[in-house]
C-alpha cells in the first residue's frame, strides 16, 4: 500500500483508539480512592455540580473534544500531494498525539479552576488543599497519559508502520521531525513509574491523616523525597550510559560516511551490547580502511574510471564494440636523451611530465590506458560513455601543449632537458574490455582504430607537427552531442597520408601551435 493521505488517516484513526484507551487508564488511575469528604469547600462543590448536573458531561466533552479536534486537524491539514509532508506527519504521529492528548488534561484543570473560583465568589470559601491537589494531579495526569500514548504508539510506529513505508530507513534525515532524546525519554519514564505512584500514595496518606486523624511521621515523606531525588539522579545516569556510547557511535558513523575510516579507538569500553557494537565498528573501520587502501592503490595502477568500472562489473574476459577516440602521445628523441642521464633523473623527468599531461587528459573525460615507455595511450569514450569524445580528445591535446610549454619554461631555469612530443588522434569503432589470461588481465582497447592512432602519432615527426588529427575525428565533431556543436577549432589540412596496414589514405589535419 503506497503512503498517501488516505493511508495516514487510517493509521491516525487506529492510533486515536489507543489514545482513548490511554486516557481511560489515566482517568481510572487518577480518580480512584481519592477522598475529599468532610471538606466544606468540597461539599459546596458537590452541591453545585449536583444542581448543575450537565456541567460534568460538558466538561468531559470539551476536554476530550478539543484534543480530538486538534488530532483531526493535524492529520487532515496535510496536503494531499505533498508526500514529504505526509511522511513527516506519520513519523511525528506518536509525539503529536501524545502532546495533543495531554492538552485535554490542561483544559480539564482550567475548567475545574473556573469552578473553584465560582465557589469562592459565591460562598466565600476556598480550599488550598484542593487547588494544590488539582494542580499536582494535573501534572501527574499529563505525564501519565503522555507516557502511555507515546511509548505504545512509538512502539507500534517503529516496529510495524515505519518499516513498511521507509524500507531504506533515513528517517532521521527527514526535515521537520520531532526527535525526543534518550534523556527526555528516560525522564518521562521515571516520572511515570516512580513519581506518579509515590506522589499518589503520599496524597492518600495525607488524606487519611486528615480524615481519620491518623498521625503519620513526617520522616516518611522526607525519606520518600530523598528516594525520589536519588532515583531521578540514577535515571539520568542510566540515560547517560545509553546516550554517551550512542553519541560516540553516531560520530564514528559520520566519520565513516565522510570517508574517514581511522576510528578504531577505545572511547566505549564495556561488556554489554554497546561494547560489542563498538568493537564491531572498530573492526568494520579497519576493514574499510584496508579496502580503501587497496582501492586507492588500484586506482594508481589503472585509471580511476577503469577501476570503478571493474569494481562495478564482474571481472571476466571479454569486451564489447563501441565508438571511441584514441590518443597516442610520445616524447621525441627521449631514448637518446635518457642515455646520458642518471636513472633517478629520468624517472623524475617522466613522472613530472606524465603528471602534468595526465591532468589534461582526465580533466577532459579521458583515461590513461597505459604508459608505454615514454609514450601515453589515452582513451576517450570508454569505459565511460561520452557523446563528445572526439572534441574531448582535441581539447586535451591543446591543453597538453600549454602544459608542455610551462614544463619547458620551468626546465630551462632548473637546467633540465627541453621536451617535445607528438600527438596522434583518431576515432572509430574498437573493442573495449578485459584482455589477457583468466588469472592475469587488463582493461584495454584493440582494433584498427588503435593501430591507426599509433601510426598517425608516428607521422608527426615526418610532417614536423606536434599534433595530427584524422578526418574521422573531425567528422565526429559535427555529429557528437546530438548534432550540437561542442567546440570551435581552427584546423588546417596537412596531407592525405598512407598508413601502413590501410588500403585507403587518411586525411590528416592539425591545429597550429602559435606559442
Amino acid at each position: 500500500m503506497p503512503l498517501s493521505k488516505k493511508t495516514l488517516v487510517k493509521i491516525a484513526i487506529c492510533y486515536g483508539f489507543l489514545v482513548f484507551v490511554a486516557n481511560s487508564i489515566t482517568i481510572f488511575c487518577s480518580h480512584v480512592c481519592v477522598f475529599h469528604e468532610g471538606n466544606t469547600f468540597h461539599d459546596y462543590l458537590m452541591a453545585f455540580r449536583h444542581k448543575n448536573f450537565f456541567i460534568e458531561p460538558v466538561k468531559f466533552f470539551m476536554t476530550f473534544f478539543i484534543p480530538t479536534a486538534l488530532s483531526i486537524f493535524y492529520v487532515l491539514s496535510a496536503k494531499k500531494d505533498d508526500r514529504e509532508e505526509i511522511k513527516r506527519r506519520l513519523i511525528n504521529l506518536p509525539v503529536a498525539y501524545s502532546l495533543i492528548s495531554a492538552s485535554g488534561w490542561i483544559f480539564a484543570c482550567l475548567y475545574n479552576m473556573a469552578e473553584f473560583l465560582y465557589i469562592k465568589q459565591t460562598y466565600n470559601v476556598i480550599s488550598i488543599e484542593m487547588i494544590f491537589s488539582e494542580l499536582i494531579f494535573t501534572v501527574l495526569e499529563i505525564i501519565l497519559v503522555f507516557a502511555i500514548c507515546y511509548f505504545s504508539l512509538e512502539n507500534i510506529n517503529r516496529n510495524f508502520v515505519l518499516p513498511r513505508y521507509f524500507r531504506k530507513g533515513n528517517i532521521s534525515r527527514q526535515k521537520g521531525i520531532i526527535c525526543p532524546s534518550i534523556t527526555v525519554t528516560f525522564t518521562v519514564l521515571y516520572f511515570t513509574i516512580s513519581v506518579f505512584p509515590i506522589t499518589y500514595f503520599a496524597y492518600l496518606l495525607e488524606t487519611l491523616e486528615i480524615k481519620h486523624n491518623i498521625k503519620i511521621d513526617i520522616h516518611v515523606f522526607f525519606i520518600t523525597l530523598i528516594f525520589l531525588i536519588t532515583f531521578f539522579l540514577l535515571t539520568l545516569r542510566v540515560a547517560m550510559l545509553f546516550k554517551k556510547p550512542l553519541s560516540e557511535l553516531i560520530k564514528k558513523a559520520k566519520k565513516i560516511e565522510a570517508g574517514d575510516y581511522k576510528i578504531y579507538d577505545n572511547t566505549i569500553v564495556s561488556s554489554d551490547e554497546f561494547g560489542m557494537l563498538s568493537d564491531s565498528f572498530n573492526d568494520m573501520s579497519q576493514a574499510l580502511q584496508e579496502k580503501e587502501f587497496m582501492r586507492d592503490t588500484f586506482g594508481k595502477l589503472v585509471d580511476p574510471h577503469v577501476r570503478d568500472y571493474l569494481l562495478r562489473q564482474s571481472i571476466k574476459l571479454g569486451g564489447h564494440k563501441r565508438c571511441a577516440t584514441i590518443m597516442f602521445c610520445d616524447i621525441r628523441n627521449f631514448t637518446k636523451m635518457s642515455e646520458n642521464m642518471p636513472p633517478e633523473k629520468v624517472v623524475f623527468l617522466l613522472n613530472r611530465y606524465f603528471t602534468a599531461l595526465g591532468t589534461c587528459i582526465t580533466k577532459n573525460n579521458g583515461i590513461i590506458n597505459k604508459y608505454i615507455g615514454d609514450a601515453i595511450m589515452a582513451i576517450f569514450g570508454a569505459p565511460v560513455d561520452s557523446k563528445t569524445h572526439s572534441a574531448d580528445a582535441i581539447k586535451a591535446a591543446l591543453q597538453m601543449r600549454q602544459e608542455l610549454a610551462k614544463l619547458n619554461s620551468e626546465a630551462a631555469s632548473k637546467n633540465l632537458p627541453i621536451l617535445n612530443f607528438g600527438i596522434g588522434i583518431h576515432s572509430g569503432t574498437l573493442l573495449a574490455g578485459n584482455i589477457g589470461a583468466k588469472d592475469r588481465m587488463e582493461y584495454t582497447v584493440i582494433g584498427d582504430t588503435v593501430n591507426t592512432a599509433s601510426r598517425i602519432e608516428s607521422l608527426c615527426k615526418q610532417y614536423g607537427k606536434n599534433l595530427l588529427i584524422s578526418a574521422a575525428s573531425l567528422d565526429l565533431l559535427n555529429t557528437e552531442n546530438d548534432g550540437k556543436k561542442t567546440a570551435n577549432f581552427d584546423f588546417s589540412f596537412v596531407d592525405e597520408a598512407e598508413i601502413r596496414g590501410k588500403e585507403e589514405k587518411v586525411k590528416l589535419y592539425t591545429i597550429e601551435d602559435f606559442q
Side-chain angles (χ1 to χ4, degrees):
M1 181 188 297
L3 183 58
S4 62
K5 186 173 181 179
K6 186 177 180 180
T7 306
L8 178 65
V9 171
K10 290 181 179 179
I11 295 172
I13 292 173
C14 296
Y15 284 8
F17 174 75
L18 293 175
V19 170
F20 173 78
V21 173
N23 277 278
S24 301
I25 295 172
T26 305
I27 292 173
F28 175 79
C29 291
S30 60
H31 287 83
V32 67
C33 297
V34 178
F35 301 98
H36 293 291
E37 291 82 352
N39 185 297
T40 304
F41 182 86
H42 176 264
D43 294 338
Y44 280 117
L45 181 63
M46 291 297 100
F48 172 73
R49 290 178 177 176
H50 181 73
K51 183 178 180 181
N52 302 279
F53 63 90
F54 59 88
I55 287 181
E56 282 297 297
V58 170
K59 180 183 75 172
F60 277 99
F61 175 77
M62 288 298 295
T63 53
F64 283 98
F65 171 77
I66 293 175
T68 302
L70 290 175
S71 300
I72 294 173
F73 174 78
Y74 177 79
V75 175
L76 296 182
S77 61
K79 296 179 181 179
K80 184 177 181 180
D81 299 325
D82 193 343
R83 288 182 58 84
E84 291 302 315
E85 176 67 17
I86 293 172
K87 287 180 180 179
R88 186 160 54 249
R89 299 279 173 114
L90 178 61
I91 297 170
N92 289 336
L93 264 182
V95 178
Y97 267 33
S98 301
L99 291 172
I100 291 172
S101 181
S103 69
W105 293 92
I106 298 176
F107 288 115
C109 179
L110 294 175
Y111 198 99
N112 287 337
M113 289 301 173
E115 283 186 316
F116 295 169
L117 181 62
Y118 175 81
I119 298 299
K120 180 184 183 304
Q121 292 179 343
T122 304
Y123 303 103
N124 196 28
V125 292
I126 190 66
S127 174
I128 301 300
E129 177 207 348
M130 288 193 66
I131 295 175
F132 180 74
S133 65
E134 182 67 27
L135 293 174
I136 292 294
F137 271 93
T138 298
V139 173
L140 295 177
E141 287 160 354
I142 289 173
I143 294 173
L144 182 61
V145 75
F146 179 87
I148 296 174
C149 287
Y150 176 72
F151 289 121
S152 58
L153 296 182
E154 186 68 14
N155 183 58
I156 296 172
N157 224 33
R158 289 188 184 186
N159 293 311
F160 301 102
V161 178
L162 296 182
R164 185 174 183 180
Y165 299 106
F166 294 86
R167 297 186 183 277
K168 294 182 179 180
N170 297 325
I171 293 177
S172 62
R173 297 177 181 176
Q174 291 285 134
K175 294 181 179 180
I177 63 172
I178 304 172
C179 305
S181 67
I182 289 178
T183 303
V184 172
T185 303
F186 271 83
T187 302
V188 172
L189 183 63
Y190 163 77
F191 275 94
T192 307
I193 64 177
S194 296
V195 176
F196 184 91
I198 291 176
T199 305
Y200 184 80
F201 285 113
Y203 177 78
L204 289 181
L205 288 175
E206 183 188 6
T207 304
L208 289 172
E209 181 181 13
I210 295 172
K211 183 178 179 181
H212 300 287
N213 197 26
I214 300 173
K215 187 64 178 178
I216 299 175
D217 195 340
I218 190 66
H219 292 91
V220 173
F221 295 99
F222 179 74
I223 294 173
T224 302
L225 181 62
I226 295 297
F227 282 152
L228 285 174
I229 295 173
T230 303
F231 293 152
F232 179 67
L233 295 176
L234 287 175
T235 300
L236 294 180
R237 184 56 192 159
V238 172
M240 287 302 298
L241 289 177
F242 282 81
K243 186 175 181 178
K244 186 177 179 180
L246 283 176
S247 299
E248 291 294 329
L249 290 173
I250 290 172
K251 289 179 183 178
K252 288 184 176 184
K254 288 184 177 180
K255 285 184 178 181
I256 290 176
E257 186 179 5
D260 181 8
Y261 304 124
K262 298 179 181 180
I263 62 169
Y264 37 90
D265 49 35
N266 294 320
T267 54
I268 304 173
V269 182
S270 64
S271 59
D272 57 10
E273 287 82 353
F274 284 116
M276 295 169 61
L277 185 58
S278 178
D279 292 340
S280 297
F281 253 83
N282 293 338
D283 293 341
M284 180 180 66
S285 67
Q286 286 181 323
L288 287 172
Q289 189 175 4
E290 291 173 1
K291 289 181 180 179
E292 183 63 21
F293 173 77
M294 290 187 288
R295 184 175 180 272
D296 184 57
T297 304
F298 189 24
K300 292 176 182 177
L301 296 176
V302 300
D303 188 276
H305 290 91
V306 176
R307 173 201 64 196
D308 296 338
Y309 169 80
L310 294 175
L311 292 175
R312 287 194 305 268
Q313 308 293 326
S314 59
I315 302 179
K316 57 183 180 180
L317 293 173
H320 54 278
K321 288 185 177 181
R322 64 195 309 160
C323 182
T325 298
I326 303 298
M327 171 197 287
F328 277 91
C329 177
D330 189 24
I331 302 177
R332 292 288 167 259
N333 302 318
F334 187 76
T335 302
K336 184 178 180 181
M337 184 189 308
S338 61
E339 287 178 353
N340 300 319
M341 295 170 59
E344 297 81 4
K345 194 171 184 179
V346 174
V347 172
F348 169 77
L349 195 64
L350 282 177
N351 289 342
R352 182 168 168 267
Y353 169 82
F354 287 146
T355 300
L357 270 60
T359 302
C360 302
I361 293 170
T362 54
K363 279 173 57 178
N364 289 280
N365 307 312
I367 70 162
I368 298 174
N369 182 246
K370 61 185 69 175
Y371 297 105
I372 311 169
D374 60 306
I376 300 173
M377 175 183 169
I379 310 170
F380 296 81
V384 181
D385 289 325
S386 173
K387 294 182 179 180
T388 58
H389 54 82
S390 177
D392 291 340
I394 296 172
K395 288 179 184 177
L398 297 179
Q399 291 178 17
M400 289 163 70
R401 272 181 174 176
Q402 296 174 353
E403 285 298 319
L404 183 64
K406 292 179 182 178
L407 288 176
N408 286 334
S409 177
E410 294 174 5
S413 63
K414 295 180 180 180
N415 197 26
L416 294 173
I418 301 299
L419 302 178
N420 294 296
F421 61 31
I423 298 177
I425 296 175
H426 181 57
S427 305
T429 303
L430 45 77
L431 182 68
N434 298 320
I435 311 297
K438 289 184 178 180
D439 57 349
R440 182 67 176 89
M441 63 187 75
E442 68 172 349
Y443 180 88
T444 189
V445 289
I446 58 174
D448 180 67
T449 299
V450 181
N451 298 332
T452 301
S454 175
R455 284 161 188 160
I456 290 175
E457 181 275 319
S458 64
L459 292 174
C460 287
K461 189 173 183 180
Q462 177 181 327
Y463 289 108
K465 305 292 181 181
N466 60 11
L467 173 61
L468 289 177
I469 307 164
S470 70
S473 294
L474 266 63
D475 292 340
L476 278 178
L477 292 176
N478 299 321
T479 59
E480 287 181 336
N481 200 23
D482 299 325
K484 298 177 183 178
K485 202 164 187 178
T486 55
N488 292 314
F489 300 110
D490 188 12
F491 295 104
S492 59
F493 178 72
V494 176
D495 193 12
E496 193 169 358
E498 292 185 0
I499 302 294
R500 183 164 53 89
K502 295 183 71 68
E503 295 180 359
E504 297 182 0
K505 293 184 177 181
V506 176
K507 292 182 179 180
L508 300 176
Y509 297 81
T510 190
I511 300 174
E512 297 296 342
D513 186 1
F514 297 103
Q515 295 190 10

